[in-house]
Amino acid sequence: KNDVVDRKSIDICHRKEFAFSSISELEKLRNSLKEVTEEPIELLEDFQDEIEKITNEKVNTLIPFSIKPNSLEGFLALFLWFRKPGGGFEFQLYRFLHENYKKIPKGKEIREALLRLEVHGYTEVKETPNEIRKRMENKGIQKCRRFYETGKTNIPGRELFNKLKSKITTGAYLAPLPRKKLVKSLKAPDHLVNKAIRDLTRKGYLSQRNVKDSLGRTVRKIKPKRSPRRITGLEKRVVKEAREFYNVQKNSLDDMQEERP
């Protein structure tokens, strides 16, 4: 079973027990299809939307849920609303929380919040294709196996924004390129790469600031600001490597959005 998108409902952690023997609406649907002779798989595909609608309504009846603005779910839902219809990788959602939430949440708390949004239809998650995932992992980017989009349940985005706008900074929250990673990625002595980074920052080709990564760690983020047209040698390689790090993420986002039905 694919652990990226096929997770057990027990992991949703609603902390509430319930049981039922059948859903009457599904029984009616099943009875109405007794005479149909199509293949089972084709039949399920034809009625997938209706089955999902019925089961989602039943889940929401059994486990009432609403998004509270100051909760983890509220912040995550707001980010997805901002990204609509584009969506975002798991690491973007984690970074948004680590940069904006009142306290640094644990990874388990974020996973549970995302699962609650998923089971109630506020978000849909799909597995990142291997080619796209490996492209990012080769750059050292973590938490890129899952891609999140807004689901069929409407996110109260305007209401969330009005409540949280003073507490957040909007943005794509791409994975940051740490200075240490940039230094190690170039085949040159560390002291020369560090000198090139300092000089490029002074000239305005690069910017540096402390940010949180997807694991909540503080890193010194390097970001290119200008095209390296008038520089050569090691300085040009530094800017090119930094630009490529962010372009990989932007291109991966474009590729995921092109796959949308």
Side-chain angles (χ1 to χ4, degrees), residues 18-229:
F18 62 90
F20 54 88
S21 58
S22 65
I23 299 177
S24 59
E25 292 87 347
L26 288 179
E27 287 294 320
K28 292 177 183 177
L29 178 61
R30 183 176 64 82
N31 290 332
S32 69
L33 299 175
K34 283 183 176 179
E35 304 301 323
V36 179
T37 58
E38 290 184 58
E39 290 293 325
I41 293 179
E42 295 177 358
L43 189 60
L44 285 174
E45 290 176 349
D46 291 341
F47 287 90
Q48 181 177 349
D49 289 342
E50 188 170 352
I51 292 171
E52 284 184 2
K53 180 181 178 182
I54 292 171
T55 52
N56 285 339
E57 287 176 352
K58 184 58 66 174
V59 166
N60 287 326
T61 300
L62 292 165
I63 316 172
F65 176 78
S66 61
I67 297 176
K68 297 177 181 178
N70 286 308
S71 66
L72 288 173
E73 292 87 355
F75 276 74
L76 291 166
L78 180 59
F79 181 78
L80 287 169
W81 182 72
F82 276 131
R83 298 290 303 171
K84 186 179 181 179
F89 291 103
E90 189 171 24
F91 65 80
Q92 293 175 268
L93 289 153
Y94 274 64
R95 280 210 64 227
F96 178 76
L97 276 183
H98 289 313
E99 289 283 3
N100 294 283
Y101 199 58
K102 56 189 175 183
K103 65 174 184 175
I104 297 179
K106 297 178 181 178
K108 183 174 183 289
E109 294 173 328
I110 301 175
R111 289 192 298 272
E112 290 176 0
L114 284 169
L115 278 166
R116 280 191 282 273
L117 289 175
E118 183 183 346
V119 78
H120 287 283
Y122 290 102
T123 181
E124 293 182 0
V125 60
K126 59 185 178 182
E127 183 178 11
T128 305
N130 284 338
E131 181 182 348
I132 298 175
R133 175 178 56 80
K134 288 179 180 178
R135 185 194 307 164
M136 288 188 287
E137 288 180 343
N138 286 339
K139 290 293 182 181
I141 298 168
Q142 299 174 299
K143 295 190 180 300
C144 57
R145 294 194 305 160
R146 296 187 179 101
F147 188 81
Y148 288 83
E149 298 174 304
T150 50
K152 294 179 180 178
T153 303
N154 185 52
I155 292 175
R158 182 55 57 185
E159 176 187 339
L160 291 173
F161 178 70
N162 289 337
K163 296 272 188 171
L164 300 175
K165 60 184 177 182
S166 63
K167 303 178 182 181
I168 64 166
T169 301
T170 58
Y173 287 89
L174 299 177
L177 174 59
R179 180 178 181 134
K180 290 182 179 179
K181 181 180 291 184
L182 177 58
V183 171
K184 295 300 181 184
S185 67
L186 292 159
K187 295 179 180 179
D190 289 2
H191 71 282
L192 293 181
V193 178
N194 278 312
K195 181 179 183 303
I197 292 174
R198 288 195 300 270
D199 291 344
L200 288 165
T201 302
R202 178 174 52 81
K203 296 174 185 177
Y205 286 99
L206 298 177
S207 67
Q208 298 188 56
R209 67 186 182 96
N210 290 338
V211 300
K212 298 289 186 182
D213 66 8
S214 63
L215 299 178
R217 302 173 302 193
T218 300
V219 298
R220 189 69 172 169
K221 174 185 176 182
I222 303 290
K223 185 177 179 181
K225 294 176 64 178
R226 293 164 53 190
S227 178
R229 293 177 181 174

